[in-house]
Amino acid sequence: MIVLPHTGMGVPRACVHLTQVEDLTTLVDGPAWRARLHDGPILLGHLANDGNGATVFEAEDRSARRAMDDFVAGCRLPWDRENTEPLAEFVYDLLKIEHDQATAVATAHRQCRYLIRAAPLGFEMYDGPMMLPLTVAGGVFPDYRRAYEAALRTELPPRVFRVELWMGQTRGWVRIRPAPDVS
């Protein structure tokens, strides 16, 4: 099982991913979007959410439907301690969050910035946390030690209960607040 770095979801293979995410949000509805879903180079279909309900999979054909059903059955949700087969809509939402956070990390990295992920009180898993860019003056980028020290001093929005700093592919998201258990 492969654990995705941004959501912690366990997946049977890492090549299932989203591309070409189209924001369809309007002022009336909640967040709405549609994205191409691939298994490596193969287009399986689209994931879509109209802002009024669950995310759905629109398969290209029957074999794509079977492939995605098998993929979902092999996934494990990070909060499920009983390791049960997840609901497809949870897997779809976590694939979208994984895509969004990977994109945010890549954008920050291209700008020679670090990224703080902060979850406020009342945070819902599917809303996604706040992503806050962090710039560390001087030095050579990336310097994760200096970034960690700067993140500890960063003033955060009110009511934030969990804060993490992206420290590259090797370390992933490192918890800053509450303070990691060092005992």
Side-chain angles (χ1 to χ4, degrees), residues 6 100-117 131-136 141-142 144 165-168 173:
H6 303 293
D100 291 349
Q101 290 187 20
T103 300
V105 163
T107 299
H109 192 80
R110 279 193 308 277
Q111 297 169 347
C112 295
R113 299 172 97 179
Y114 303 92
L115 201 59
I116 293 173
R117 177 167 79 172
M131 304 299 269
L132 309 168
L134 173 67
T135 301
V136 178
F141 180 85
Y144 293 117
L165 174 69
W166 178 256
M167 294 184 71
W173 291 103

Side-chain angles (χ1 to χ4, degrees), residues 116 132 150-157 177:
I116 293 173
L132 309 168
L152 288 172
R153 296 186 305 272
T154 299
E155 190 168 326
L156 297 165
R177 293 183 198 145

Side-chain angles (χ1 to χ4, degrees), residues 1-14 74-78 98 166 169 172:
M1 174 111 0
I2 299 160
V3 177
L4 298 178
H6 303 293
T7 59
M9 179 170 61
V11 296
R13 55 189 187 283
C75 289
R76 293 299 174 260
L77 303 177
E98 188 72 29
W166 178 256
Q169 288 294 334

